[in-house]
Amino acid sequence: MTRIFRLRVEEVIALVFLLPTTYLTVVANVYAKRVGDLGDRHPGGVVRLACAAVILVALLAARRIWPESSYVKALREVLPFLTCILIYTNLHDTIGFVNPHDVHATLAALDRGLFGVIPCVWAQQFITPLRTEAMSFLYLNFFWIAPSTSLILLARRRFPEFRAATMGVLVCFYLGYFLYVLFPAAPPRLVLVYEFKRNLQGYPFLMSNLSARAFSLLPVDSRAAFPSLHAAVSLLALVYAWRFVRPWFWVLLPFSIGLWASTIYLRHHFAVDLIAGWALAPVALWLAPRLDAWWTARQAALGYAPARGAEAYERPAAALTA
């Protein structure tokens, strides 16, 4: 069992999530075939898994052929982000197989109790094609917001700071995935269909159309809304930017605020999903450096090399663990 410490902690956590969700994605595909409901959704999961397998094999081969290559080492640094995306898409297919006890009715009731209205329903009065396009653009920015601070730090070769930011974001993702399974919740766009009186109609061939096509590939029974990782991870990206790359914080801030607003406008989240996401971010901020420091100490005790930047835990690094 000690050989598991050859891996990095984020790689081990990824395997803990990836193996069962991969199995269940295949099960979902087989089930959909049996019941005659095999559209583009479930085969897409199998295609994603096949691509991931090819990339993993290629990375292992590259590490053997070019063990000292800076490009290969950099690929290992960013691969956990890609794995997170793969697991996230797997969860859309599989949560319903694991836990059928949905909580979205409770979330809607909490929204109404806290605000007097359900904000995503209330927001439909502001719908225009131009706003829908703008909100669709802001929502899709999440895919670069999440890793952006880490990638800037990696490009600047500030490895301890890169490690801190990356671990915080990854731990936040995986805590969120665990909560997805514990509290299955579909987004408002699926569960409040009859309360929405206006369509989110944008302009043909622009961002809203691209978003609609992407979401059409998700399962109709998708359960991955509580907490909002869009809120949690973007807040963490802001925190790490404030700590380590202050100018980047001011670039990220308007995009992050726009992202949060877009999740309500586009009916992807209840307001309490965002509140839970913002509450999750400081948990990840506290937990990540402590988990990484413990893992690094175990690696050192066993004679295994730590991840780049993790060796900072072996000397005083209050700025990283605060």
Side-chain angles (χ1 to χ4, degrees), residues 5 10 22 59 81 83 94 101 122 137 140 172 236 296 317:
F5 287 95
E10 67 271 23
T22 296
L59 176 61
F81 285 111
T83 308
T94 59
H101 304 294
W122 170 82
F137 167 75
L140 291 176
C172 188
L236 272 180
T296 300

Side-chain angles (χ1 to χ4, degrees), residues 290-311:
R290 288 160 176 81
L291 175 62
D292 203 24
W294 177 83
W295 192 269
T296 300
R298 291 289 295 156
Q299 287 182 313
L302 295 167
Y304 299 139
R308 281 196 296 186
E311 62 270 11

Side-chain angles (χ1 to χ4, degrees), residues 50 139 165 280 297 311:
Y139 186 79
L280 180 63
E311 62 270 11

Side-chain angles (χ1 to χ4, degrees), residues 102-124:
D102 296 331
V103 302
H104 35 251
T106 302
L107 301 179
L110 285 171
D111 259 18
R112 204 182 298 275
L114 288 171
F115 304 103
V117 295
I118 299 177
C120 59
V121 176
W122 170 82
Q124 66 184 326

Side-chain angles (χ1 to χ4, degrees), residues 220-289:
V220 292
D221 58 349
S222 175
R223 299 290 186 274
F226 181 86
S228 169
L229 286 178
H230 289 78
V233 172
S234 57
L235 178 57
L236 272 180
L238 282 170
V239 170
Y240 288 120
W242 179 263
R243 286 186 177 183
F244 304 136
V245 200
R246 189 69 55 88
W248 184 242
F249 170 86
W250 299 110
V251 175
L252 276 186
L253 184 60
F255 286 103
S256 297
I257 294 173
L259 171 66
W260 301 338
S262 73
T263 65
I264 299 296
Y265 180 96
L266 297 173
R267 307 164 181 174
H268 296 316
H269 283 294
F270 295 100
V272 291
D273 299 342
L274 272 70
I275 294 171
W278 291 325
L280 180 63
V283 175
L285 193 67
W286 179 88
L287 178 61

Side-chain angles (χ1 to χ4, degrees), residues 17-33 38 40-50 52 85-98 217 219:
F17 278 87
L18 187 59
L19 294 178
T21 57
T22 296
Y23 167 75
L24 288 171
T25 295
V26 175
V27 169
N29 188 60
V30 172
Y31 173 79
K33 283 183 178 179
L38 189 66
D40 291 335
R41 307 169 191 272
H42 292 291
V46 177
V47 171
R48 290 192 302 269
L49 293 174
I85 295 172
L86 176 64
I87 294 170
Y88 175 74
T89 54
N90 282 354
L91 283 171
H92 276 287
D93 292 328
T94 59
I95 288 175
F97 284 84
V98 178
L217 296 177

